[in-house]
């Protein structure tokens, strides 16, 4: 078996039941994804629209594509027709644009709301206060072509595992608050997307049920 498929299966076998793996294939060639596909895994994540649409066109239709990067409003139209999940919805205006493009292709586009919990200034996302306020406004209920599925976050980029754990714990707390207030009876609002190659074990301990793993499967990226 190809080394990529072996690494993927080995990581997958360590994940607790109920934790989904998104194999992050960004910056890796189509051949790397074909190798991973030979393991039987079908869920892949990309962070750039052009790269994603090129791969989507060229690779087997059985693949479930996730978009994990920062998404610009003017590019939503290219992925709305096929994307399985948009992870990093970081503004109300982006959510409205996704709704508009969803309407055009008559598809409720599955989305996660990106929560900013890391200490760095540079990361995108709603602050916990912004997100709970927006959800409490109920304005999102008018977006008929968006399907809210949960929350995504990235932890602080640090070796301080206590800090990383605290970030995930905050995200889990906000998820539970929003879930209980707005989706108590909606089984679709259930996804907690946190954890990457370096921190997915901590993420799972802190409630994650969807991990996004690139380097540990595909090796280092060449930018
Ligand atoms: C690149 C990326 C990942 C994967 O990171 P690795 O450290 O390679 O596992 C996960 N999530 C997001 C949002 C990313 O941009």
């Amino acid at each position: 078996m190809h080394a990529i498929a072996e690494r993927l299966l080995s990581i997958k076998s360590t994940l607790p039941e109920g934790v989904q793996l998104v194999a992050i294939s960004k910056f890796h060639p189509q051949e790397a994804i074909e190798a991973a596909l030979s393991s039987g895994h079908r869920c892949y994540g990309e962070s750039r629209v052009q790269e994603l649409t090129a791969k989507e066109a060229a690779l087997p239709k059985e693949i479930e594509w996730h978009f994990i990067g920062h998404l610009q409003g003017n590019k939503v139209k290219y992925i709305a027709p096929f994307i399985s999940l948009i992870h990093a919805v970081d503004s109300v205006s982006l959510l409205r644009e996704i709704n508009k493009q969803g309407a055009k292709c008559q598809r409720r586009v599955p989305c996660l709301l990106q929560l900013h919990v890391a200490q760095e200034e540079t990361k995108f996302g709603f602050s916990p206060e912004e997100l709970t306020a927006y959800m409490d406004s109920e304005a999102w209920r008018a977006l008929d072509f968006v399907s809210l599925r949960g929350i995504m976050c990235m932890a602080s980029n640090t070796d301080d595992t206590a800090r990383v754990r605290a970030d995930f714990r905050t995200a889990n707390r906000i998820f539970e608050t929003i879930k209980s207030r707005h989706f108590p009876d909606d089984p679709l609002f259930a996804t907690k997307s946190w954890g990457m190659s370096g921190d997915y074990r901590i993420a799972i301990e802190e409630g994650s049920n969807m991990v996004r793993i690139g380097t540990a499967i595909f090796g280092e990226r060449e930018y």
Side-chain angles (χ1 to χ4, degrees), residues 22 24 26-28 46-47 68-70 87-88 114 152-154 193 195-200 211-217 219 221 223:
V22 186
I24 305 301
K26 65 186 187 192
F27 293 91
H28 290 285
E46 291 282 334
S47 62
I68 61 160
H70 173 64
H87 284 238
Q114 183 177 10
M152 175 267 198
C153 78
M154 290 169 87
S193 168
M196 323 195 327
S197 292
D199 58 17
Y200 72 91
V211 291
R212 310 177 307 263
I213 301 181
T215 310
I217 295 170
R221 289 179 285 272
Y223 295 104

Side-chain angles (χ1 to χ4, degrees), residues 164-174 194 205-206:
V164 168
R165 186 178 295 280
D167 290 346
F168 291 144
R169 198 164 284 185
T170 300
N172 202 37
R173 185 168 48 79
I174 302 298
W194 48 86
E205 286 168 9
E206 300 302 334

Side-chain angles (χ1 to χ4, degrees), residues 23-125:
I24 305 301
S25 48
K26 65 186 187 192
F27 293 91
H28 290 285
Q30 286 165 23
E31 294 73 39
I33 301 174
E34 281 162 353
L37 263 179
S38 72
S39 75
H41 187 75
R42 300 192 317 156
C43 180
Y44 296 86
E46 291 282 334
S47 62
R48 297 183 301 178
V49 168
Q50 223 182 347
E51 183 176 347
L52 169 58
T53 53
K55 286 174 174 171
E56 193 273 335
L59 285 159
K61 295 300 164 205
E62 73 196 83
I63 296 181
E64 228 180 77
W65 292 105
H66 289 210
F67 192 78
I68 61 160
H70 173 64
L71 181 57
Q72 287 172 281
N74 61 359
K75 298 200 170 153
V76 174
K77 58 176 173 289
Y78 301 115
I79 66 171
F82 69 86
I83 200 76
S84 288
L85 187 61
I86 299 177
H87 284 238
V89 178
D90 58 1
S91 71
V92 173
S93 62
L94 178 60
L95 204 57
R96 289 206 195 101
E97 179 62 23
I98 294 169
N99 187 61
K100 186 172 145 191
Q101 298 302 330
K104 279 192 190 160
C105 50
Q106 286 297 300
R107 183 165 186 260
R108 286 196 87 186
V109 182
C111 292
L112 302 180
L113 298 157
Q114 183 177 10
L115 190 61
H116 177 108
V117 288
Q119 282 184 316
E120 296 95 64
E121 293 282 324
T122 52
K123 293 221 171 101
F124 294 104

